[in-house]
Amino acid sequence: MTTPHPPPRIPRSQWSSHRNYPAQLLLLGSHRNFRSISQRLIEAADEGVDARRIAWVFERWLMGMHSHEGYEEGKLYPYLEARHGAALEHLREGHAQLRAAQVRVWAALGRSLGLEVEGEGVVALEETVEGETLAAALRVHDTMLDAHLEAEEDAVIPLLLEMERAEFERYVEQPIDALLPASLAVDRAVV
């Protein structure tokens, strides 16, 4: 690992013509799928699809998103912060804000299903909005998701594009503790 480099400034409009762009399609494709599923969930709520079906899809979608976030917070962000001296804490905060919006969706799902949404547990958190419809809660989540993904792409993709192929392959293949100097490696639990 070399000393931190200043973050590159590559405008979004130039990403697809960059020589290293094809290697970043997995991340961008994941984000595109997250946006698409979010829109489909809103459409389903608007169309009156059974809340049990929406809850089933939402729960599985969140499992994938939380795994993705765990990778970002446990490997991607620490590596880019060390390599470029990038400030990515705002992206971690975006994940926390998304989780608060997810609580609102769960509360709205609970109300849609006629379940008790007060007391101990996730749906009792202060982020819930009494009487909020499922479609409205999904829209709040969608707005936050889209803003977070855009901020993340703007912060991360230019940094990834600057990595030469050999470095990117090393990054993909090795765990974070092998990539960072011992002085920068910290115990990073995957969320």
Side-chain angles (χ1 to χ4, degrees):
M1 174 86 93
T2 59
T3 58
H5 297 81
R9 304 276 183 235
I10 303 170
R12 188 179 280 258
S13 61
Q14 295 177 14
W15 293 354
S16 62
S17 62
H18 194 283
R19 70 186 181 287
N20 295 329
Y21 180 75
Q24 305 316 318
L25 293 178
L26 180 61
L27 179 68
L28 291 169
S30 295
H31 286 186
R32 186 173 42 256
N33 287 335
F34 292 154
R35 288 176 173 111
S36 176
I37 292 168
S38 183
Q39 285 298 306
R40 285 192 225 144
L41 286 168
I42 292 169
E43 291 167 8
D46 284 341
E47 293 168 4
V49 170
D50 189 304
R52 289 173 294 204
R53 176 69 181 154
I54 294 172
W56 187 89
V57 172
F58 188 69
E59 179 180 34
R60 278 142 190 85
W61 178 49
L62 289 186
M63 287 190 292
M65 284 202 343
H66 292 167
S67 175
H68 180 87
E69 291 169 3
Y71 153 75
E72 291 172 340
E73 292 187 16
K75 185 174 184 182
L76 180 64
Y77 300 168
Y79 184 77
L80 296 177
E81 288 167 332
R83 184 182 188 288
H84 291 285
L88 302 177
E89 188 57 35
H90 68 289
L91 300 177
R92 290 179 185 88
E93 292 168 6
H95 289 161
Q97 292 168 352
L98 281 170
R99 288 183 189 258
Q102 291 158 10
V103 168
R104 290 175 66 165
V105 173
W106 282 122
L109 277 163
R111 284 190 297 276
S112 295
L113 294 169
L115 302 175
E116 180 65 40
V117 295
E118 294 181 30
E120 299 294 324
V122 154
V123 294
L125 294 175
E126 63 188 41
E127 289 87 356
T128 63
V129 176
E130 187 62 36
E132 183 174 42
T133 67
L134 177 54
L138 286 166
R139 280 187 181 83
V140 167
H141 182 267
D142 181 71
T143 298
M144 294 178 84
L145 174 68
D146 193 54
H148 170 74
L149 294 177
E150 186 169 328
E152 186 170 74
E153 291 163 3
D154 287 344
V156 165
I157 295 298
L159 302 176
L160 291 171
L161 290 174
E162 286 300 304
M163 293 169 63
E164 294 302 327
R165 183 178 180 153
E167 181 186 5
F168 186 74
E169 288 173 359
R170 199 170 40 256
Y171 164 79
V172 169
E173 294 170 2
Q174 295 182 6
I176 189 64
D177 292 342
L179 294 168
L180 296 182
S183 63
L184 294 176
V186 294
D187 183 44
R188 299 201 181 270
V190 175
V191 181

